């Protein structure tokens, strides 16, 4: 993988680190293509059962690299095509049966929100700020923000965020349900380390448990909008039947039954 994405796999955990700290991990063409390649690989490898996304430097992701856009003068077609490249990675994460945790310390803004929302569990820092800010420079939401934000926090709150020059505090982001939890540290560097450690703890919880079942549960919830209520019931029935037949479930069910009989 390119140096703008650091990619490792260790004991079932794929770690993707956004690595443009000097630009607050904002997406340019190089990072967009590296992101697509890394996310597709992470969600299709047989030796990966969980994904962790974090970032180098003082921020998680500032969205698109507006300064580079202004300097290079990218056309309407170029910008739209680049967004579609990043969207391929977003779809790889959200459509897979692999649970994803984000460690989002510092600032998350613009398209960075879409990257954050592509995770299934998000940990941020106590100093973190999260916002839209697209309209401040005359742009509209991309990278799944309009698709995922309202699902996460409700339409009215989503509109409050995209129609105002507003950055949510960590406390507000947790209260809104935008993220799962916030971790505070005595300084920004320590806090970033604690956020990463907590996110890895979440990922290891999945890996140490019924990893495949967690992945399928994520898939059921994520894919539900594609189905009617009746279709979702049928998919749940099919999924639990398939899970029942797996060796992991057979062992766990037998252990649960034995424990219940011994009480």
């Amino acid at each position: 993988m390119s140096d703008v994405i650091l990619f490792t796999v260790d004991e079932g955990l794929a770690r993707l680190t956004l690595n443009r700290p000097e630009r607050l991990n904002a997406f340019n063409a190089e990072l967009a293509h590296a992101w697509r390649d890394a996310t597709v690989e992470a969600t299709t490898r047989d030796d990966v059962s969980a994904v962790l996304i974090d970032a180098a430097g003082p921020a998680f992701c500032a969205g698109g690299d507006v300064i580079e856009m202004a300097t290079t003068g990218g056309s309407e077609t170029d910008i739209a095509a680049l967004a579609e490249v990043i969207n391929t990675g977003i779809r790889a994460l959200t459509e897979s049966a692999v649970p994803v945790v984000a460690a989002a310390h510092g600032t998350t803004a613009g398209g960075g929100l879409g990257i954050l929302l592509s995770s299934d569990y998000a940990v941020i820092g106590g100093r973190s700020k999260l916002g839209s800010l697209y309209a401040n420079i005359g742009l509209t939401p991309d990278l799944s923000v309009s698709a995922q934000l309202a699902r996460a926090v409700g339409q009215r709150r989503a509109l409050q965020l995209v129609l105002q020059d507003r950055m949510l505090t960590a406390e507000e982001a947790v209260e809104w349900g935008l993220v799962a939890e916030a971790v505070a540290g005595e300084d920004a560097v320590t806090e970033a380390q604690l956020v990463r450690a907590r996110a890895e703890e979440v990922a290891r919880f999945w890996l140490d448990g019924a990893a495949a079942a967690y992945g399928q549960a994520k898939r059921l919830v994520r894919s539900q909008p594609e189905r009617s209520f009746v279709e979702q019931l049928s998919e749940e029935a099919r999924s639990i039947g398939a899970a029942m037949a797996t060796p992991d479930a057979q062992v766990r069910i037998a252990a649960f039954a034995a424990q219940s009989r011994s009480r």
Side-chain angles (χ1 to χ4, degrees), residues 17-18 36 59 84 100 118 123 131 139 162 180 195 207 214 230 239 243:
T17 302
L18 305 179
R36 178 197 61 194
E84 289 290 8
V100 181
S118 301
V123 182
L139 298 179
V162 301
V195 169
L207 293 170
Y214 285 124
V230 172
S239 183

Side-chain angles (χ1 to χ4, degrees), residues 163-185:
L163 298 181
Q164 290 290 304
D165 180 10
R166 178 176 181 180
M167 295 293 281
L168 297 181
T169 65
E171 183 179 3
E172 289 172 325
V174 172
E175 194 272 323
W176 279 30
L178 182 57
V179 302
E181 56 185 278
V183 180

Side-chain angles (χ1 to χ4, degrees), residues 186-222:
E186 60 185 17
D187 55 56
V189 173
T190 301
E191 186 165 284
Q193 293 171 343
L194 292 173
V195 169
R196 293 188 187 99
R198 175 57 187 148
E200 182 161 349
E201 188 176 55
V202 170
R204 293 298 176 191
F205 170 78
W206 296 332
L207 293 170
D208 292 342
Y214 285 124
Q216 289 301 321
K218 168 257 180 80
R219 181 191 63 81
L220 281 170
V221 173
R222 282 282 193 180

Side-chain angles (χ1 to χ4, degrees), residues 60-147:
F60 180 64
C61 181
D65 193 334
V66 178
I67 295 174
E68 185 164 316
M69 291 179 201
T71 302
T72 59
S75 69
E76 173 184 340
T77 302
D78 293 338
I79 298 305
L82 201 59
E84 289 290 8
V85 170
I86 303 169
N87 288 345
T88 299
I90 290 172
R91 290 185 59 187
L93 295 175
T94 58
E95 294 176 3
S96 74
V98 181
V100 181
V101 59
H105 70 283
T107 298
T108 298
L113 274 181
I115 303 303
L116 179 71
L117 288 163
S118 301
S119 70
D120 307 303
Y121 195 106
V123 182
I124 62 173
R127 294 172 171 78
S128 292
K129 302 285 186 181
L130 301 89
S132 169
L133 308 184
Y134 285 98
N136 291 22
I137 52 173
L139 298 179
T140 57
D142 67 343
L143 307 189
S144 82
V145 171
S146 69

Side-chain angles (χ1 to χ4, degrees), residues 5-10 13-17 50-54 103 196 200 204:
I5 288 262
L6 305 180
F7 180 91
T8 61
V9 175
D10 177 39
L13 176 62
R15 184 188 296 268
L16 282 63
T17 302
V51 173
L52 189 158
I53 302 170
D54 63 4
R196 293 188 187 99
E200 182 161 349
R204 293 298 176 191

